[in-house]
Amino acid sequence: MKTKYRQMILTPEEMPRQWYNILPDLPEPLPPPMDPETGESRIKALPEFLLGECLKQEFSDQRWIDIPEELLDLYFQAGRPRPLFRALNLEKKLDTPARMYYKSEFYSPTGSHKVNTALAQAYYAKKEGYQRVTTETGAGQWGTALAYGASLTGLKCTVFWVRAVYDWKMDRRVLMELFGAEVFASPSNRTEFGRTFLEKDPNHPGSLGIAISEGIEDAKKDPKAIYCLGSVLNHVLLHQTIIGLETKKQFEKFDDYPDVVISCLGGGSNFGGFALPFMHDVLKEGKKIKFIAAQSQAAPNLQGEYRYDFADHGELTPLLKMYTLGHTKDMPPIKGDGLRYHGCSPILSLLRNKGLIDAVAFPVDERYVFERAKIFIQEEGFLPAPESAYSIACAIDEAVKCKETKEKKVIAFNVSGHGFMDIPGYKKVLGIK
Ligand SMILES: Cc1ncc(COP(=O)(O)O)c(C=O)c1O
C-alpha cells in the first residue's frame, strides 16, 4: 500500500478553478450538429433552447474554461471538493492484488453528480435574465439537482419525469417539490407532444427522449423560461470534469495513478466528467489507461450504430453524430433508469469510435449488478444509486480478473450517486421483503 490513508481530501484552495474542455485535444474534430433534410432549422433555433453561455462553451476551442467565482461558491455550498476513497475492505473481500479507488459523488446534497452542471446552468440562466428553467429527468436525480440549483439561484423549475420512474420514486418527487419545483409525469397533459402519447396510452411509461421534447416545448412557449439538458451535450460534460480533475489531484496525493477508469454511462455526463481529464493524459502525454463504460442491456447505446440521430423523441433537437439505438427505440424500464437513453454523447462516441473506450452491458434483470452493489454496501458502507451500482459491478469484475491474472492494477471508479431514495428498487430486484 502506497499510503496509510483510506481517503484523500482536497482543501477548498486546492479545488480546480477551471473545467477541462477536451474539444481541442480530440484525435480529430468533433462532427458538428446537423439539420435534418426537411423542416425548420434546428441549428438556427439553438439559441432559443440553450443558454447563451452554454452555447459558447458547446463549441469552444479553449482547453481550460474558468469556473466563475460565484459558481465556485455554490460548489463549496454543495460540499465540493469530494473525497476519493481507497476501497481497502472491498479489496480484502475480493482477495485481489488490484488497488481500488472510488470517487464519492454520493455526498451530493441531492444525491448525485448532476449538481455539478445543475448549479452551472442555473447560475447562467439567472445571469441571462431567465425566471424559469425546464427539464426532463429519468432517474429523478437530474430533476432534483436542477430543482436545487434553481432554488439556490432564485429561479422557478419545471420537471418532466419519465412516468415509469415517477410512479415508484414518490419521495424523490416530494424532494423536488420541497426545492420549489413543479413536477409532471411524462408523457404529460401539459404539452402537445405529451398529449399525443397519452391519447394512445394513458399509462405510457415514457422515455428520456419524450421527456426532453416536453421540456423543450414547454420552454419554447414561455420567453422567460429556458430549457436545460442534464447530459449528452459538450457543455454538460465540461461542467462535470470537476469530478475527474479533483480525482487526478487526489491520485497525485495518494502517489498513485489509475490503469483502469470505470463509470456507468447513460447519456455520458458522469462517465465524461470522471474520465475526460484522464483521457487528456492518454491523448497528450502518452499514458496508457483502459476506459470502461458500464451500461445496461436495456440501453446498450455504445453497441448501437455510429451515425447522426436526434437527441429527443420529438425531433426538436439538431442531429448529433453519436452511437445510437435510434431515437424512437422502445427500451424496457429498469431500476437504474438513468442509464436508459438511446444515444451516447458525441464526444464519447467519437472516442469510442477511435477505440479508446470499451463498454460492458449488464443484464436487464439487474440482479447481477445489485448483488455486487450489496458487496460494496457491506464492505465500504455506502449505499449507491442503482446507476452507480453498474460502475461498482464493473469495477468488481475487473478486480476479480486481476486476482486470476495476479496483476496489481489500479482501478478507479466513480460512485455517481447515493441510493437512499431508491430502496424500493433494491427491494424489488433483490427480493427483500
Ligand atoms: C446517479 C446517476 N449516475 C449516472 C447517471 C447516468 O447519466 P449520465 O450518463 O448522463 O451521467 C444518472 C442518470 O440519471 C444518475 O442518476
Side-chain angles (χ1 to χ4, degrees):
M1 181 175 163
K2 293 205 170 188
T3 165
K4 60 186 186 321
Y5 299 117
R6 198 182 269 268
Q7 68 153 303
M8 195 54 75
I9 51 167
L10 296 177
T11 63
E13 289 72 31
E14 289 171 316
M15 194 173 81
R17 267 28 185 189
Q18 292 174 313
W19 293 301
Y20 170 56
N21 174 23
I22 199 168
L23 289 181
D25 293 337
L26 288 173
E28 61 189 48
L30 192 68
M34 294 226 309
D35 269 326
E37 275 167 19
T38 55
E40 286 169 28
S41 170
R42 273 68 161 177
I43 292 174
K44 283 202 192 118
L46 272 180
E48 279 173 43
F49 66 83
L50 280 189
L51 286 156
E53 193 57 36
C54 293
L55 197 54
K56 258 200 262 162
Q57 292 172 350
E58 190 65 20
F59 302 105
S60 172
D61 57 8
Q62 256 182 280
R63 182 170 294 118
W64 296 100
I65 295 184
D66 289 343
I67 305 174
E69 274 298 317
E70 292 139 271
L71 182 51
L72 278 175
D73 196 44
L74 288 167
Y75 277 180
F76 293 138
Q77 186 175 353
R80 299 214 76 87
R82 306 201 193 291
L84 178 71
F85 285 91
R86 174 88 187 266
L88 287 172
N89 286 29
L90 187 59
E91 289 170 18
K92 201 165 165 212
K93 171 80 179 175
L94 301 175
D95 189 24
T96 174
R99 297 195 291 284
M100 303 177 80
Y101 295 87
Y102 58 96
K103 182 70 169 168
S104 56
E105 288 303 305
F106 51 75
Y107 277 147
S108 147
T110 61
S112 81
H113 70 294
K114 297 279 180 184
V115 288
N116 301 326
T117 184
L119 286 171
Q121 295 191 47
Y123 164 77
Y124 291 130
K126 183 73 179 179
K127 232 177 124 202
E128 291 175 26
Y130 292 102
Q131 293 177 7
R132 183 168 72 98
V133 284
T134 73
T135 199
E136 79 295 333
T137 193
Q141 292 271 17
W142 164 239
T144 319
L146 194 66
Y148 162 85
S151 171
L152 294 194
T153 52
L155 295 167
K156 291 188 184 141
C157 178
T158 305
V159 179
F160 293 90
W161 192 357
V162 174
R163 184 183 305 277
V165 191
Y166 174 98
D167 283 345
W168 70 270
K169 287 199 195 173
M170 281 307 172
D171 291 344
R172 197 167 262 291
R173 174 179 59 73
V174 175
L175 180 56
M176 289 186 220
E177 288 173 356
L178 284 171
F179 284 126
E182 52 175 358
V183 187
F184 298 95
S186 168
S188 78
N189 263 319
R190 166 130 168 161
T191 65
E192 265 172 53
F193 187 67
R195 286 193 288 275
T196 59
F197 287 90
L198 286 184
E199 275 158 23
K200 281 179 244 154
D201 176 2
N203 293 314
H204 193 291
S207 71
L208 268 178
I210 296 171
I212 293 173
S213 302
E214 289 207 277
I216 295 175
E217 184 188 319
D218 188 37
K220 269 187 154 179
K221 285 189 296 206
D222 175 2
K224 297 199 183 78
I226 185 79
Y227 168 73
C228 298
L229 187 68
S231 190
V232 181
L233 298 180
N234 306 346
H235 67 271
V236 181
L237 273 62
L238 172 82
H239 302 154
Q240 293 293 0
T241 58
I242 189 78
I243 307 171
L245 292 167
E246 279 182 14
T247 307
K248 271 178 75 171
K249 284 195 168 188
Q250 287 160 321
F251 265 110
E252 263 170 47
K253 288 177 125 189
F254 264 122
D255 190 21
D256 218 346
Y257 193 82
D259 301 298
V260 188
V261 166
I262 293 170
S263 213
C264 60
L265 193 153
S269 73
N270 151 59
F271 185 91
F274 188 54
L276 292 182
F278 291 101
M279 189 64 81
H280 165 273
D281 296 358
V282 169
L283 296 173
K284 294 283 141 191
E285 290 172 12
K287 290 267 199 239
K288 286 205 169 17
I289 301 178
K290 181 173 169 178
F291 294 93
I292 314 176
Q295 302 206 290
S296 165
Q297 280 171 5
N301 55 40
L302 284 173
Q303 293 171 29
E305 284 177 69
Y306 188 42
R307 65 172 168 88
Y308 274 97
D309 196 10
F310 292 101
D312 69 321
H313 196 118
E315 306 183 354
L316 299 174
T317 67
L319 293 161
L320 304 176
K321 180 99 185 259
M322 57 186 180
Y323 278 94
T324 177
L325 301 167
H327 66 288
T328 58
K329 169 97 177 152
D330 277 332
M331 296 164 282
I334 50 173
K335 297 303 173 200
D337 223 54
L339 304 183
R340 191 168 62 98
Y341 182 64
H342 66 273
C344 170
S345 113
I347 287 177
L348 299 175
S349 291
L350 175 85
L351 293 165
R352 160 87 168 157
N353 190 252
K354 296 284 155 217
L356 291 159
I357 298 176
D358 291 349
V360 291
F362 291 104
V364 177
D365 70 13
E366 298 182 293
R367 262 201 96 85
Y368 184 88
V369 164
F370 282 24
E371 288 290 358
R372 272 145 196 78
K374 206 165 123 189
I375 302 174
F376 180 82
I377 293 164
Q378 292 178 358
E379 296 306 321
E380 295 297 319
F382 295 107
L383 173 69
E387 293 76 13
S388 316
Y390 285 72
S391 306
I392 292 167
C394 181
I396 289 181
D397 285 356
E398 286 300 304
V400 170
K401 275 186 219 157
C402 287
K403 183 179 176 183
E404 286 153 15
T405 59
K406 301 193 170 51
E407 283 174 291
K408 290 184 179 165
K409 284 190 186 166
V410 175
I411 299 171
F413 58 107
N414 186 25
V415 182
S416 52
H418 73 59
F420 288 115
M421 310 202 91
D422 306 286
I423 294 290
Y426 279 99
K427 280 172 78 177
K428 181 109 191 167
V429 172
L430 295 176
I432 302 167
K433 291 278 174 258

